[in-house]
Amino acid sequence: MQHISDLQIGVRLQKLRESKGNNKTDLAIELNISTAQYGRLENGKATISIEVLNKICSYYNTSVNYILFGESNSYKSLFFDKINGYPQSIIRRILKILSCLFYLEDNKKYYNNPFYKIFIDGLLETIPVEAPSALMYVLEYDRNRRKASENWMIRELGLTRFKWDTIMKDKSIHDIYIPLQVSNQYGYDMDFLINNKINADMFFDNLFAEENPERQKNIMQVFDLVVKDQEKEYHVEKQENNY
């Protein structure tokens, strides 16, 4: 279970700020908050909001998981490393095709794995690429998947009815502890919940490792062809958008 430490978040914010040679006023202006408010964040005396968190991640080109938990994707993924940098629309198409190569209907081992739910069990099709957050779609999906009532989900997540309704009306939420509770309860990545962004995960690599060598070779060949095909399509789309 993940926990947020305001003090540790402040330490990471200070390191990032100093790495850019900024002072606290520079960051406050960039984040559209007061210098005093930014100072409280860096000193660990205030909890970061979702809006400020997103601005910080964008400014430093870093992840939600790094700011909140100090995590970095240091491992090398066979699949994600080949598509790193592509727009989310392209990444989703490629990974959806990849998931079809691993589809095992009766495989219960990964049934509750978030990536299984996203790519194999159909969650991805319910979330528009342009949606700013996946939170509402995740809650609706998991509620239907488990045939649970809203009241049951509210109690399970420790939410108020007002907060639940705010999420389900797709309104902006500010409290970072809401996606944190959903992440802890159901295992979804915080970047996915907050920003509707899919980052590297070992799920596909684990599935790949269970295949025999010949099947692995075939899967990688198909994957490479899919990546090249989507890369061509991406460049065509870019050229058409430039006209």
Side-chain angles (χ1 to χ4, degrees):
M1 181 173 288
Q2 294 179 309
H3 299 277
I4 291 176
S5 166
D6 294 334
L7 190 61
Q8 290 303 312
I9 288 174
V11 170
R12 288 188 282 275
L13 292 182
Q14 182 178 352
K15 286 181 179 179
L16 288 170
R17 177 177 60 78
E18 291 176 348
S19 71
K20 279 220 168 190
N22 297 137
N23 58 44
K24 293 181 181 180
T25 301
D26 294 332
L27 260 296
I29 293 172
E30 186 69 32
L31 301 174
N32 195 29
I33 60 177
S34 69
T35 302
Q37 184 179 350
Y38 178 78
R40 287 193 293 273
L41 288 174
E42 201 168 284
N43 292 330
K45 295 180 179 179
T47 299
I48 196 166
S49 70
I50 290 176
E51 295 94 332
V52 171
L53 174 63
N54 284 336
K55 289 178 182 178
I56 288 173
C57 289
S58 177
Y59 183 70
Y60 290 117
N61 191 29
T62 190
S63 70
V64 164
N65 286 333
Y66 172 72
I67 298 295
L68 295 182
F69 313 116
E71 295 178 2
S72 61
N73 293 321
S74 57
Y75 63 84
K76 295 291 184 181
S77 167
L78 290 170
F79 303 104
F80 273 90
D81 287 357
K82 293 189 177 185
I83 56 179
N84 184 38
Y86 284 109
Q88 283 291 303
S89 57
I90 300 295
I91 289 175
R92 291 177 184 211
R93 286 206 293 264
I94 292 173
L95 294 180
K96 186 61 183 180
I97 295 170
L98 175 64
S99 72
C100 295
L101 300 177
F102 293 118
Y103 187 78
L104 295 173
E105 190 172 2
D106 59 349
N107 189 345
K108 299 300 181 183
K109 178 179 178 181
Y110 294 103
Y111 185 75
N112 288 316
N113 183 288
F115 262 58
Y116 181 96
K117 293 191 281 188
I118 292 169
F119 288 105
I120 297 177
D121 202 40
L123 172 57
L124 191 66
E125 281 73 21
T126 71
I127 308 174
V129 175
E130 65 275 8
S133 167
L135 191 58
M136 175 185 73
Y137 304 93
V138 163
L139 292 181
E140 184 65 22
Y141 162 83
D142 266 280
R143 188 178 72 82
N144 291 331
R145 192 179 197 239
R146 297 188 298 150
K147 297 180 173 60
S149 68
E150 287 189 352
N151 288 336
W152 176 269
M153 295 276 285
I154 289 170
R155 289 194 300 271
E156 185 175 56
L157 292 169
L159 301 176
T160 64
R161 166 57 70 174
F162 174 77
K163 288 183 177 179
W164 174 273
D165 289 343
T166 298
I167 296 167
M168 301 315 288
K169 290 175 182 175
D170 204 20
K171 294 184 178 180
S172 297
I173 59 170
H174 312 282
D175 185 353
I176 194 66
Y177 285 100
I178 294 177
L180 178 66
Q181 182 65 12
V182 175
S183 176
N184 283 334
Q185 190 70 38
Y186 305 128
Y188 294 99
D189 182 78
M190 287 287 279
D191 256 312
F192 177 61
L193 292 173
I194 293 174
N195 295 318
N196 192 22
K197 185 177 179 181
I198 296 168
N199 294 319
D201 190 275
M202 292 299 291
F203 177 65
F204 289 117
D205 295 86
N206 290 336
L207 292 176
F208 184 78
E210 294 181 359
E211 302 287 349
N212 63 57
E214 186 62 30
R215 176 74 174 139
Q216 287 182 345
K217 180 180 177 181
N218 292 337
I219 288 173
M220 195 54 71
Q221 286 175 341
V222 172
F223 180 73
D224 287 338
L225 288 173
V226 169
V227 172
K228 289 178 182 178
D229 181 66
Q230 290 298 317
E231 184 179 16
K232 290 178 183 176
E233 188 171 331
Y234 170 55
H235 289 304
V236 170
E237 289 176 359
K238 278 188 66 175
Q239 289 177 346
E240 290 176 347
N241 291 333
N242 289 334
Y243 286 115

